[in-house]
Amino acid sequence: MKFLRMRPGYGEQLIAEGDPAIAEDEQRLVEEFRRQLDGGMWAAIPTSAPDGRREAEMVHAFEDIPQDTSRVIFFPRAAGGAR
Amino acid sequence: MTVALCATTIVVLALLWEVAMPWIDRRVEARRARRERRAAGAAPYDPGRERRAEQRARELLKSCVNEEEWGMYRDLGFLRVWGGQSRPQGARELQGVDYAYLVYPHKPIVAYLPQTGQLLNEYCVEFPDEARPYGTPRLPDSDDVLAKWMALKGDERRLISEANLHLPGRQVDTRQVQRDLWRLGRWERERLARASREASERSSRRAETADG
């Protein structure tokens, strides 16, 4: 599983990678997930339906991430734009 | 004569001062901002870096959306996202979709009725990265579009509740949106025609192979 983070002037950046089936990796991923959310990020998982449709799921806790997920994308939380 | 000349000179100088002041203010402000950015250790603007960032962002977007959506963004510069897809009940079919959004990079999301083309609202929303790794909180264009796409698909209600709601035309020119809807319609018709042409060519090739 890869954690990617969108960054200004960079595009996406790999911030963590590991196999959640391995306890050590899982711990590292959980900590990184919490750090990102505490830092004001939103997390989403892009998914593919069998009919080819692409969707995305927002995740709020590490436990919500499906086992077979290959990547989680973090991006800054939304804020209201120009008033 | 001399008095008139002096008076004219004074008036001309006063007018020039009035015209030049805003320009001088802007220059001074820009110089001060540059100095502050340098003092804060922020990297100066680098067009090459921004281009590479945008290229990476495009690849990420391409890997997340489907072929049709990628083609739409590549050819038209925006995405259409159907509304009401992230209902808690999980209603994911497009039957009965009665509104949609146009997602532009770094512009408000525009909601409209696909049946009539009527524009409903502008949702002004940004994804500012306050870490400002290169002095700016702005994501690359394609990352901004992907963030909006994921947030609309994943939790439409949450995104819309964070946005500032305005009537159409506040930031995005309504004529431009109408033109974009017309371009989108034409693009979809051409895409359908191409797909049906390719399908008939494939079937005729299969028929020839079977005969041969």
Side-chain angles (χ1 to χ4, degrees):
Chain A
M1 186 185 292
K2 286 181 179 176
F3 284 181
L4 306 172
R5 182 184 159 161
M6 293 180 183
R7 274 189 193 281
Y10 196 87
E12 95 277 8
Q13 198 171 27
L14 180 67
I15 52 172
E17 187 173 9
D19 181 353
I22 300 169
E24 201 176 294
D25 282 11
E26 188 193 18
Q27 186 59 31
R28 200 159 38 81
L29 290 172
V30 168
E31 282 169 14
E32 189 56 46
F33 187 89
R34 284 193 189 135
R35 187 163 39 243
Q36 292 300 323
L37 262 60
D38 290 347
M41 294 286 128
W42 280 358
I45 304 170
T47 58
S48 298
D51 62 358
R53 204 179 301 165
R54 300 293 183 96
E55 303 290 345
E57 277 176 41
M58 303 295 286
V59 281
H60 309 288
F62 185 81
E63 301 75 50
D64 297 341
I65 303 173
Q67 289 287 319
D68 58 345
T69 300
S70 60
R71 58 186 176 170
V72 180
I73 300 174
F74 295 91
F75 56 100
R77 61 170 298 142
R83 287 185 177 277
Chain B
M1 178 70 179
T2 314
V3 172
L5 214 61
C6 283
T8 309
T9 310
I10 288 168
V11 168
V12 167
L13 284 175
L15 285 173
L16 277 176
W17 179 255
E18 275 298 310
V19 172
M21 262 315 277
W23 181 81
I24 292 169
D25 274 349
R26 277 198 302 275
R27 294 298 298 255
V28 169
E29 195 56 44
R31 180 178 286 225
R32 190 182 304 137
R34 260 201 311 276
R35 210 177 306 132
E36 280 172 8
R37 273 203 303 274
R38 221 173 292 142
Y45 178 76
D46 176 356
R49 182 189 62 223
E50 296 298 324
R51 216 172 21 249
R52 287 190 296 276
E54 175 56 21
Q55 196 52 46
R56 269 194 287 268
R58 283 177 77 85
E59 289 301 319
L60 184 65
L61 175 64
K62 187 180 175 183
S63 71
C64 292
V65 299
N66 67 23
E67 196 193 333
E68 181 193 3
E69 288 169 317
W70 170 247
M72 193 184 294
Y73 182 67
R74 183 195 54 213
D75 297 344
L76 305 174
F78 59 83
L79 279 184
R80 177 198 45 213
V81 179
W82 299 110
Q85 286 187 73
S86 59
R87 292 191 183 102
Q89 306 92 306
R92 302 251 163 186
E93 292 307 314
L94 294 182
Q95 295 157 354
V97 166
D98 40 20
Y99 64 98
Y101 301 103
L102 292 184
V103 175
Y104 296 95
H106 294 296
K107 279 186 187 174
I109 296 169
V110 179
Y112 73 102
L113 298 176
Q115 300 293 330
T116 59
Q118 187 194 339
L119 306 185
L120 299 174
N121 293 306
E122 279 184 8
Y123 295 99
C124 303
V125 66
E126 295 169 346
F127 299 90
D129 187 341
E130 293 307 338
R132 298 171 184 248
Y134 292 104
T136 172
R138 262 168 81 105
L139 293 173
D141 285 359
S142 300
D143 271 352
D144 183 70
V145 168
L146 178 58
K148 286 170 182 161
W149 181 85
M150 289 193 297
L152 280 173
K153 291 270 187 176
D155 197 344
E156 178 184 343
R157 189 169 294 188
R158 188 180 182 196
L159 181 70
I160 293 306
S161 70
E162 295 285 347
N164 288 326
L165 171 69
H166 295 297
L167 290 172
R170 165 80 180 245
Q171 284 190 67
V172 187
D173 185 0
T174 51
R175 282 169 306 184
Q176 187 208 320
V177 180
Q178 297 291 0
R179 205 162 45 239
D180 286 342
L181 289 175
W182 176 81
R183 288 169 62 218
L184 176 59
R186 195 180 62 171
W187 182 84
E188 286 186 310
R189 283 193 297 276
E190 285 173 1
R191 192 169 178 276
L192 273 175
R194 198 165 47 242
S196 75
R197 208 167 42 240
E198 284 168 6
S200 68
E201 279 171 13
R202 263 199 308 274
S203 66
S204 63
R205 264 202 304 274
R206 261 200 303 273
E208 281 171 20
T209 314
D211 288 346

